[in-house]
């Protein structure tokens, strides 16, 4: 089937089979490899994207379900060379080691700060609970979210 959607504001089309995930279509057919595929079971959050502004695991959404909808991936957050403040904060806080979890964590953090510009630590913990990182121990990730929240209020 032909799937038509908007990715990061750009019209896109792909031929997909009925059971194909949005993650597969994004990475393998549409040229957006930023969302990572670590588990393909909705467990790790590395594939997090915004579907019509709602945070979803792209591995659990069918490409067909995105037909006619807007998808924002991690590639859509920066403006040209200018990183999104959350991306910048992850770099500045040293919250990236292997980086495999980072795109999903960045998208989930952007979603959190859109909903709650000054989140408490409990809110951060809750919002990022679906995103697994095996490298950092999470403390620097929390620092990055706090830093991005501060940058957003300046
Ligand atoms: S790849 Fe989608 S949640 Fe892990
Ligand atoms: S930085 Fe390696 S999994 Fe998070």
């Amino acid at each position: 089937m032909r799937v038509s959607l908007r990715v990061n504001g750009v019209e896109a089309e792909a031929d997909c089979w009925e059971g194909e995930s949005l993650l597969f279509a994004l990475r393998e057919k549409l040229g957006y490899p930023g969302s990572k595929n670590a588990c393909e079971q909705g467990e790790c959050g590395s594939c997090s994207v915004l579907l019509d502004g709602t945070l979803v695991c792209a591995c659990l959404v069918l490409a067909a379900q995105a037909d006619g909808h807007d998808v924002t991936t991690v590639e859509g957050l920066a403006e040209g060379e200018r990183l999104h403040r959350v991306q910048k904060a992850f770099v500045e806080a040293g919250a990236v080691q292997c980086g495999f979890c980072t795109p999903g964590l960045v998208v989930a953090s952007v979603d959190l700060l859109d909903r709650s510009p000054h989140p408490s630590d409990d809110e951060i913990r809750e919002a990022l609970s679906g995103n697994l990182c095996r490298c950092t121990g999470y403390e620097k990730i929390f620092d990055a979210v706090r830093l991005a929240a501060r940058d957003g209020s300046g």
Side-chain angles (χ1 to χ4, degrees):
M1 63 178 295
R2 194 84 178 149
V3 173
S4 303
L5 66 168
R6 273 170 308 283
V7 185
N8 302 330
V10 177
E11 302 291 336
E13 283 195 343
D15 284 319
C16 303
W17 67 282
E18 285 73 3
E20 191 165 304
S21 72
L22 173 60
L23 179 61
F24 187 87
L26 286 170
R27 288 179 53 81
E28 308 298 335
K29 297 190 172 160
L30 296 170
Y32 295 96
S35 314
K36 299 299 178 234
N37 179 359
C39 75
E40 245 180 337
Q41 295 181 359
E43 298 288 343
C44 73
S46 67
C47 62
S48 301
V49 299
L50 300 173
L51 179 61
D52 291 338
T54 298
L55 186 69
V56 296
C57 289
C59 70
L60 295 183
V61 175
L62 295 174
Q65 289 176 294
D67 188 53
H69 294 273
D70 281 290
V71 175
T72 304
T73 71
V74 70
E75 290 99 333
L77 299 177
E79 286 179 29
E81 295 293 301
R82 222 180 82 208
L83 293 180
H84 188 284
R85 68 185 158 101
V86 171
Q87 294 171 311
K88 206 162 144 267
F90 267 69
V91 174
E92 284 175 8
V96 182
Q97 288 190 24
C98 81
F100 210 79
C101 67
T102 308
L105 275 161
V106 166
V107 174
S109 300
V110 168
D111 175 62
L112 166 64
L113 293 175
D114 279 351
R115 291 183 285 107
S116 177
H118 302 288
S120 66
D121 282 356
D122 280 349
E123 281 180 285
I124 298 173
R125 197 169 289 113
E126 169 71 25
L128 302 186
S129 61
N131 293 79
L132 303 184
C133 174
R134 64 183 180 178
C135 303
T136 65
Y138 296 97
E139 200 45 53
K140 286 179 187 299
I141 292 168
F142 272 55
D143 288 346
V145 178
R146 294 184 196 112
L147 182 60
R150 274 203 301 277
D151 283 355
S153 61

